[in-house]
Amino acid sequence: MPPVQVIVGSNSSANLVEFFSSIQGEGLLIGKRQAFLRFSGCNLECSYCDTMHESPEFCAIEMNPGSRDFAKVSNPVFLDSILDRLSVWKKQWPLLHHSLSITGGEPLLHAPVLQNWLPTLRSILPIFLETNGLLTKQLCDIINHVDMISMDIKIPSTSGHSDLWKLHTEFLRTAISKHCYVKIVVGIETTKDEIIKASRLIAEIKHDTPLIIQPVTIQLMHPEIGAHLLLLQQTASMFLEDVRVIPQTHSVLRVL
């Protein structure tokens, strides 16, 4: 794992990739409409990842929810640029968005900015944090401003990273103080032993934490993927009471 480099900079501005409105395509909130605020940068390079992590010159800000009419704003972006747009959306479509997804990359790399931004943003929409589940100190800094957490457990077979178990354990012990679920991206190469280790990790902390088993999208046409997913779900259910198999759906729906 690359060394963690928390991005400090100015607490009133941040390097962003995009701000837009779409359907949540993963996890427990699948199908819900959310506003998405995507931060640049990540402390991992997972083999299946399809997200740009570099800081772009411009952030793409959607003018109206779902319109795909984007304005380019130079990075770093100030809070007012996001706040103004989100406030307009809330006023014009008060029931449209379930929450504001703080995503990346790894948004916790921007913890100093989030400490400053989230209290104001949370006054408009609940905050949903999507994270790779490794930066516990940074989570502690912002957790009082978060409503729900989607935490990954990165298993070696799909992520290409090993020896993250201790960091994930520490993170989950903090994250469960909020409404939290765990997501594991799996493939045909994922073993039962990996799922057992992850499921035991979760169960020892909070056994009713939901687990989402998410197949790698490019493997969905593999002839054996269905049977394998059933096996992995059955294995996890030896330890956990709420185990769901949910693929990514936003690519199928052709939305961001």
Side-chain angles (χ1 to χ4, degrees):
M1 184 177 72
V4 174
Q5 295 183 341
V6 176
I7 302 168
V8 287
S10 168
N11 288 356
S12 60
S13 64
N15 288 321
L16 303 176
V17 177
E18 55 191 348
F19 174 69
F20 62 99
S21 168
S22 191
I23 298 166
Q24 175 58 253
E26 302 178 352
L28 290 187
L29 295 185
I30 193 167
K32 293 281 190 180
R33 189 68 170 266
Q34 288 182 306
F36 291 82
L37 183 60
R38 188 180 305 281
F39 286 80
S40 65
C42 190
N43 55 323
L44 291 178
E45 293 180 1
C46 296
S47 47
Y48 56 79
C49 186
D50 59 358
T51 302
M52 179 184 69
H53 297 322
E54 296 78 13
S55 297
E57 182 179 0
F58 298 99
C59 168
I61 297 181
E62 193 171 31
M63 292 295 97
N64 291 306
S67 67
R68 299 303 177 259
D69 177 18
F70 288 92
K72 291 184 177 181
V73 177
S74 296
N75 271 313
V77 177
F78 287 89
L79 172 60
D80 286 349
S81 297
I82 303 301
L83 189 61
D84 290 348
R85 187 54 33 197
L86 189 62
S87 298
V88 169
W89 291 2
K90 181 65 174 179
K91 182 177 180 180
Q92 294 185 349
W93 297 277
L95 303 180
L96 178 60
H97 295 102
H98 172 273
S99 48
L100 171 63
S101 173
I102 306 298
T103 188
E106 176 47 59
L108 287 177
L109 290 174
H110 300 263
V113 171
L114 293 174
Q115 279 184 283
N116 188 42
W117 285 22
L118 290 186
T120 304
L121 294 171
R122 195 182 184 206
S123 68
I124 301 174
L125 285 175
I127 300 299
F128 175 75
L129 175 67
E130 299 189 70
T131 173
N132 60 28
L134 296 173
L135 303 180
T136 303
K137 180 183 181 300
Q138 289 75 25
L139 176 64
C140 290
D141 289 340
I142 70 157
I143 196 165
N144 289 337
H145 310 305
V146 171
D147 298 287
M148 187 173 184
I149 299 173
S150 171
M151 170 197 166
D152 285 2
I153 287 182
K154 304 293 187 181
I155 57 174
S157 61
T158 50
S159 73
H161 296 284
S162 57
D163 299 325
L164 300 179
W165 302 104
K166 185 176 179 180
L167 292 173
H168 283 317
T169 300
E170 182 184 5
F171 192 96
L172 183 57
R173 290 190 187 279
T174 299
I176 57 167
S177 65
K178 296 292 181 172
H179 184 24
C180 172
Y181 68 87
V182 174
K183 182 184 71 182
I184 302 177
V185 176
V186 304
I188 199 69
E189 65 274 32
T190 298
T191 66
K192 288 178 61 177
D193 286 345
E194 288 178 296
I195 295 301
I196 289 171
K197 190 167 186 176
S199 300
R200 279 180 169 159
L201 183 160
I202 299 166
E204 288 174 1
I205 296 172
K206 193 169 186 289
H207 68 89
D208 59 349
T209 301
L211 171 61
I212 308 300
I213 295 175
Q214 179 176 298
V216 176
T217 300
I218 61 173
Q219 292 191 13
L220 287 177
M221 299 306 293
H222 192 287
E224 298 176 12
I225 192 64
H228 193 58
L229 291 171
L230 290 173
L231 174 64
L232 297 182
Q233 183 184 42
Q234 185 172 337
T235 300
S237 296
M238 295 166 56
F239 307 92
L240 300 168
E241 60 188 61
D242 187 358
V243 182
R244 313 183 196 190
V245 177
I246 305 178
Q248 286 185 320
T249 60
H250 45 279
S251 57
V252 176
L253 298 175
R254 299 185 183 276
V255 296
L256 291 178

